[in-house]
Each structure stands twice: as structure tokens, then as C-alpha cells.
Amino acid sequence: MKRTTTLLLVILLVFLASGLLFAKGEQEKKVQPASIEFWTTETQSDRVSTIQALVDIFQGLNPEIKITVVPVDENDMPKQVAASSAAGNLPALAEFGSENAIDFGSSGLLDTSTATKIINSIGKSEFYAGPLKMLESTQSGVYYAMPYHGWIQGLWYRNDWFKDAGLNPPNTWESIEKAAKTFYQPSKNQYGILVGTKAEVYAEQCFTQIAISNKARLFDKNGNLVFNSPQMKEAIQYYAGLANYNPPGPQTWRARDYYIQGKMAMFFYSTYIMDDLALAEVAASSLTGKNFKELKGAQFDPQLVVHTSFAPIITHKQPSSYGVIVALGIFKQEKAANTAAAERFVKYLYGEDAYVTFLHMAPGGMNPVLKKIAASDKFMKDPKGIFEKYGKKKIEEIIAGLESIQRFGIVEGHLITAYGKIFSQQIIPQMIYKITQEKMDVDAAMNWAEGEMKKIVNK
Amino acid sequence: MTIQAKGLKAEEERFGWKLILPAIIIIASLIFYPIGYNVFLSFFDVKLRGPNTYIGITNYRDIITDLAFWHAVWTTFLYVIFTTIGTTLVGLGVALVMVKEFPLRGLVRAIILLPYIAPVISVVFAWQFFFDPVNGIFMHLTYEKFHLFDQRFNLIGSPQNAIIVAIIFNIWKNFPFSYLMILSRLQSIDATQYEAAEIDGASGWQKFWYVTLPEVYFVVGSIVILRVIWNFNKFEEVYLLTDNVKVLSVYTYFKAFTGTMDQGQGAALSVIQFLLLIGFILFYVKRVLKW
């Protein structure tokens, strides 16, 4: 009896002590009042309302903190940040693309220690590796900002055609070329693949993934131009070869319509295509059914979503995927309370409910960077029911493409600023156009492109 | 002249200036100022952020030594020559037919104007849809139905055809203007001239050569100069329809507003374009229109 009483007393004491300790901890964590701004690049009114609703809930839970949502056009973000940095009133938190994050981070505007702390508290292994790598600073393990969402590009293909022809999924150079060749039957008005050959951004997006899979780069980490390399030449030759299986003439993203019409085996596209493949009302603009009922592929094919698979990673000398990562960045603040408030809000945004609500603003376009969210049932239930049409396994596979996402403009945590100009001058798309459409010799076209790039680098 | 009369004249002159002052202000601010500022900018390295740097004639030197510029000049030359001849000849031909009496002439005359009055963007989309290599009606008829070609091809997109397509498009879209001008002149030719020619035993060709052509000479001359000015500066039709027909206006646009946005060179290019055009107009007005 006595032993039992002593045991009960000990348990009670342990319980009380831990209770006291916990209470002390809570008191330490107690939030200081703060009023901060959150700049977001989601400027569409419906998205602003969703974000405002998330903020309202957060404020309800944290009455000491006040957050003002400020929509900023993504193209204006660098300008606005520069202006407000000069005025000394940077927002505590902002959402922007990874290129911006590195730009701001390397200029010393971002609070890297808080960002790194948040990433570590969530757990690095919880994130897909690609997005983290894109935001890592020159110092290993230190991050400029926290990845939040992104889209991935890859090859969308007809799995039923591939199965009937006994072909492997198009995720290596060999399997892509073989499939493109097999399904290229122009006499039947059917084409093997779509790669960009018009002098537009789309061509650069398709080509980047191929080039990186061959370890071809534009710059080394010191910013030296290393474009004219054997790897790059090999990638260009391979890409030009694929273009032979394209629909006739120079092509750009719009030719994805031919896939939706059942006239093409595969095409490069981002995850923004997911609703076009799954929903008749979205696909309507790619079909001719309204005016030309008798044409082949004029009507919506509800089975297309089932018969479509996605190969986000292309492997040759290394695996490569292409995409855009949008990050949350905490700007350095004078008041510690502002930083603490931003940190608290970011952690809330990473919570399952808030995160899924945020991502569902653009199903397919905004994908989670946390593996567990990609696998969660809540994420699968988007308001339009797009994901359920694909099935959980396929969605997870699609998002897993974030694992090896890379860009030409970021080399080992260094942003190569000259790349932005090369990109906007469309030098690579023009080179691709010269080779595939004007039949210019590959060496001559590469020399031309290198000359143009040097003009920018040396300026 | 008395002092009083002199004072009155001066007063009238002042009043005259006052009357035209609003027009002068508007013209100066909307036309002379932009032209002047453009010429001024062409001597600077223009920065989008930060101050501009004076660099003398470097922009002009860079342009003249750039092969792409001469290519653009050549392309513009071809484009202007063929579109001007094409629109004028087609316009003249159609006007000669439309001046004759036939049933439903009013309706046909109105339909002919359609390409000219339709908005460029909608017409461009219609052409692109028509010539689409996979779904277009043109390929459907020529390849699928009548087997005129051994494979499908992209008529508008192919770089070999692009300039030809741009020229044909321009002629098709703009000939109704020439047609309308020439037709109105044709209708006012006195029928007795033709009767007199017939009595003299003139053939149809001779009537055209000795009666019609002298009558429409100055109208055609004016149409040609207008078309040269318009087609020399033509941007939207070329830019929207094709990818790679870099006439001077498109070339200037790419220099000034895409990529590194070299607006100093863009300004210099438009000055050169302006001088080329002015040079042609002065020559043409003196020699052809004989003003």
C-alpha cells in the first residue's frame, strides 16, 4: 500500500514538474506584438482573397500579430524590393521566385539564419532536394529563403500507345528518341514529339532539361562562359534530331493542342497542363469540336487523362528536371519581434491545412515542396477534382520531379546575372531555330550563339 | 502706308499667331518633341535605370557595321517593292473590272473591301488557322483530298516562305484601298474620250494606254507614295503573321524593346529609317509626281 502511495506521489510530482517546465517554455515562446507586411506575387483577386483568409485565421490564433497582405507583380518585385530597401522599410516576409531569392540573398537583404532555422526545424529530409538546392547560399547548409511551391516540366506521353508498341517510358535519351521515331507517322497526320523550335522561351525550357541531363552548362560557378563544350554540342545535335519528329514547321507550346486532339505521342510541358487534360471545359480551347465536328480529334477524350503519363526526369549522363521554384523569404528586420512574427507565420503556412489551401489556388501549377504534403489525402482533394482524375500515385510521381530540378542560371548556389540577359534575348531559342528551321550547321550556329553571349557577358 | 495701317497689320499678324497657337503647341508636343528627343537619344547609351551616357555617333557606327541591319534593309526593300507593286496592280485590275456594269455590282464592291476593314489580329489568326499544317483547311484540300503535295508542310512558318507569305498577305489585305481610289477616278473619266478613241479606231489596249492610264496617272502616283510610306513602316502585319521577317520596323522593335533593350540603338535606327524614307519621298515627289 505504502509502495503504491509513494509511486503515485512520484508520478504526480513528475507530472507537476513537467507541467511547470512546459508552462515556462510557453512563456518564453510567447509572441511579442508585431505588425508586419507579407508581399505576395499571387496578384489575381481570387488568390489574394484566399491568402487573406489564411492570414485572418492566423491572426485569430495569434492576436498579437498583425499581417498586411501586399500583392506585388512578380516582374516588379526586384524594383519594389530595391526601393523599399533604400527607404529602410523592407517587408518582413515575401514570396518570390528562386532567381530573385538568390539575387536578394547575395545582396545581403535576406535573413538567412532564420530561413535556415525554419528549414531545419521542418527537417531537410522532408523537402524535395531540388528546391532546397536552388536556394542554398554559397555557404553549404545555409539557405537564402524557404522553398514553398513550384511547377515542373517534363514529357507528357500516351501510356496506352507506348504499351501497345512495347516501349519504355520516355525518360532516357534512347527511349525518347525511339518512341518519337516509332510514333512519327506524318502520312497519318500523327507526330512523335513536340519540342520547341520557334525562337521563343518554350524552346529554351525544353532544351534546358535535355542539356542539363548531358551535363552541359552555360556557365561555371565563377560565371565564366562555358557554353561551347562537347556536351553542349551533343545535346544540341540530339535536340535537333528530336525536332525531326515534330509537326511540320517551327513549333511552340501551342502545338500541345495536337496531343489533346490525339495526334501526337508526347510533348514537353509544365504541370499547368493537368487541368487541360482532365477537364472538358478547359480542353475546349484546344479542340475543334465546336465548329468542325467531323475532324479527327475534334471532341474531348475523357480517357486521355488515364492514358497520359508524365516523365518529369530525363536521364542521360545525370538525371535532370526543369521547373520554377517559388520561395518565402524573410528580410532582415530591425525589430526582432517582426522576425519572430514572420517565422511564426511561415511555420503556420507550412502546416497541412494552410499549405493545401494555398496550393489549391492553382492545382497543377503550384506543387508542394514537402514530400508528406504531396502524399496527403487532403492535397489530393482539390476543388475541381483534377488530382483525383489522375490518381494519387501519378500525382506523387509528377511532383517527385522536384527532386532534381535545375536551371542554367544557378550554378552551385551562384546566380549568374548575365544569364538573365541571355534568356531574355532568346539567344538559345534563336540558335535552335537557325539549326532546325534554317538548317544552319550546328558548329556555325553555336559559334553565333557564343558570340552573342560574349557580347552580353563582356558588356 | 500710314503708321496706323502698319499698327493694324501687326495687330492682325499677332491675332493670326494667337489663332494657330493651340495647333502649334499640339503639333510641337506630339510630333516635333518626340522626333527631336529621339534624335537626341540616338547619341546616348540609354540606361533604363540611371543616367544616360553621351557616346557620340557610336550607335550609328554599330548599326552600320552590323550585318543584321543590312539584311533588314534588304528585306524591307524587297517587302516594300513587291507589296507596293502588288497592291497597286491588283487594285487597278479589280477597279477596271468593277467599273463595268454587271448584276449585284454594289454587293461585290462592298465584299472586296472586307480584307481592308477587318482588324489585323483577327485576319492573322484566320490565316494561321487556314494554313495550319496539321488541322488547316489548306493542307486538308491540297494534301488529303487532291494529293497535290507529297507531304504536309507549314506554309506560313517555314523560313523559306515567310517573306513571300508576308508580301501576299499585305497585298491581299491592302489592295482594296488602291482599288477604291482608282475606281473613284475611273468613274469620273468622261465617256466621250472613249467614244472619240473608238471613232479613231483604237483597240482596247490602246484605249487603256492612251485614255485610262493618263487619267489615273496621278492617283496611282499618290497611291504608290502612300503605300511606300505605310509599308516601309509596317510593323503589326509582319510581326503578327510571321516569325522571322525582320523588316526595319521589326528589327528596331527587337533592338529597342526585347532582351538587353538597347534603346539608344533603337533611336538611332528610327532616325536612319526616317532619313531613308524622307530621301525617297523627296526624289519621288520631284521626279514622279512632278510637284
Side-chain angles (χ1 to χ4, degrees), chain A residues 187 189 191 198 248-250 258 261 263 292 421 424-425 433 437, chain B residues 129 132-135 143 152-154 157 159-160 243-244 259-260:
Chain A
S187 58
N189 207 12
Y191 304 92
K198 241 185 192 183
Y258 305 144
Q261 294 161 7
K263 294 170 183 165
F292 302 98
K421 286 179 182 157
S424 52
Q425 269 207 353
Y433 182 87
Q437 306 304 311
Chain B
F129 184 63
D132 184 284
V134 177
N135 292 326
Y143 172 77
R152 285 172 180 271
F153 58 91
N154 193 331
Q160 292 79 27
D243 299 316
N244 57 340
T260 40

Side-chain angles (χ1 to χ4, degrees), chain A residues 173-353:
Chain A
W173 280 25
E174 293 73 26
S175 59
I176 295 169
E177 192 168 16
K178 195 173 174 196
K181 201 172 179 178
T182 307
F183 296 121
Y184 181 70
Q185 293 166 13
S187 58
K188 292 184 185 166
N189 207 12
Q190 177 186 301
Y191 304 92
I193 193 169
L194 169 66
V195 292
T197 48
K198 241 185 192 183
E200 288 181 11
V201 174
Y202 176 73
E204 180 144 354
Q205 292 177 343
C206 302
F207 176 71
T208 305
Q209 199 171 355
I210 299 281
I212 290 177
S213 73
N214 200 39
K215 292 191 170 175
R217 283 278 178 196
L218 291 190
F219 295 96
D220 65 12
K221 67 175 179 179
N222 299 318
N224 299 314
L225 192 66
V226 291
F227 165 77
N228 213 336
S229 65
Q231 293 93 319
M232 187 61 83
K233 185 175 174 184
E234 209 179 9
I236 294 170
Q237 282 169 329
Y238 174 74
Y239 190 87
L242 287 184
N244 289 328
Y245 308 116
N246 254 8
Q251 294 295 348
T252 185
W253 63 271
R254 191 70 233 185
R256 54 97 198 249
D257 291 357
Y258 305 144
Y259 180 87
I260 296 172
Q261 294 161 7
K263 294 170 183 165
M264 199 155 62
M266 52 186 164
F267 67 114
F268 274 96
Y269 217 87
S270 77
T271 40
Y272 272 100
I273 196 71
M274 287 167 75
D275 52 350
D276 297 79
L277 298 174
L279 304 175
E281 65 270 24
V282 185
S285 67
S286 297
L287 301 165
T288 52
K290 200 173 159 193
N291 300 313
F292 302 98
K293 290 194 171 51
E294 67 283 7
L295 275 183
K296 188 194 167 204
Q299 306 301 328
F300 178 67
D301 173 9
Q303 286 301 302
L304 188 63
V305 63
V306 183
H307 292 151
T308 297
S309 288
F310 183 49
I313 298 170
I314 293 173
T315 308
H316 191 57
K317 286 180 183 154
Q318 66 177 10
S320 108
S321 65
Y322 179 90
V324 164
I325 292 299
V326 178
L328 295 172
I330 296 178
F331 285 104
K332 285 179 181 164
Q333 299 289 302
E334 272 184 25
K335 288 186 194 160
N338 287 359
T339 308
E343 182 181 343
R344 210 171 171 83
F345 183 57
V346 169
K347 282 183 177 167
Y348 158 79
L349 285 179
Y350 275 112
E352 192 179 15
D353 289 333

Side-chain angles (χ1 to χ4, degrees), chain B residues 14-219:
Chain B
R14 269 202 298 280
F15 183 63
W17 277 109
K18 275 183 198 164
L19 284 177
I20 60 165
L21 194 64
I24 288 179
I25 291 173
I26 291 171
I27 291 171
S29 57
L30 295 180
I31 296 178
F32 296 135
Y33 169 71
I35 291 175
Y37 188 61
N38 186 71
V39 174
F40 172 78
L41 272 189
S42 69
F43 297 106
F44 285 82
D45 180 13
V46 179
K47 301 235 169 40
L48 291 176
R49 284 175 217 123
N52 301 333
T53 327
Y54 177 75
I55 51 168
I57 56 160
T58 310
N59 281 331
Y60 291 93
R61 208 179 50 212
D62 287 352
I63 289 169
I64 288 169
T65 51
D66 188 357
L67 269 181
F69 164 72
W70 291 107
H71 187 74
V73 172
W74 175 241
T75 311
T76 312
F77 183 71
L78 289 180
Y79 182 76
V80 171
I81 293 272
F82 284 103
T83 51
T84 307
I85 294 175
T87 44
T88 312
L89 288 185
V90 175
L92 179 64
V94 175
L96 287 172
V97 175
M98 287 299 133
V99 80
K100 309 272 182 225
E101 290 280 349
F102 61 88
L104 296 177
R105 189 176 71 168
L107 182 70
V108 177
R109 279 181 173 184
I111 289 173
I112 286 173
L113 290 176
L114 276 179
Y116 189 66
I117 55 173
V120 178
I121 187 69
S122 56
V123 178
V124 163
F125 278 133
W127 271 57
Q128 281 174 343
F129 184 63
F130 194 77
F131 291 110
D132 184 284
V134 177
N135 292 326
I137 300 147
F138 177 73
M139 272 294 136
H140 182 72
L141 290 176
T142 55
Y143 172 77
E144 293 276 332
K145 294 277 179 218
F146 301 118
H147 311 291
L148 297 178
F149 305 112
D150 58 353
Q151 60 181 6
R152 285 172 180 271
F153 58 91
N154 193 331
L155 187 73
I156 292 187
S158 143
Q160 292 79 27
N161 306 329
I163 176 98
I164 301 170
V165 172
I167 289 170
I168 293 173
F169 180 83
N170 182 286
I171 295 173
W172 172 81
K173 175 111 182 66
N174 296 302
F175 86 86
F177 175 78
S178 314
Y179 142 80
L180 203 63
M181 295 295 116
I182 297 170
L183 181 66
S184 57
R185 183 73 193 91
L186 285 178
Q187 284 176 324
S188 63
I189 298 175
D190 194 343
T192 54
Q193 291 195 53
Y194 290 104
E195 284 165 15
E198 272 169 28
I199 292 165
D200 288 345
S203 65
W205 171 250
Q206 283 170 325
K207 276 193 280 181
F208 171 73
W209 193 255
Y210 294 108
V211 180
T212 312
L213 209 55
E215 286 289 339
V216 297
Y217 178 84
F218 286 103
V219 173

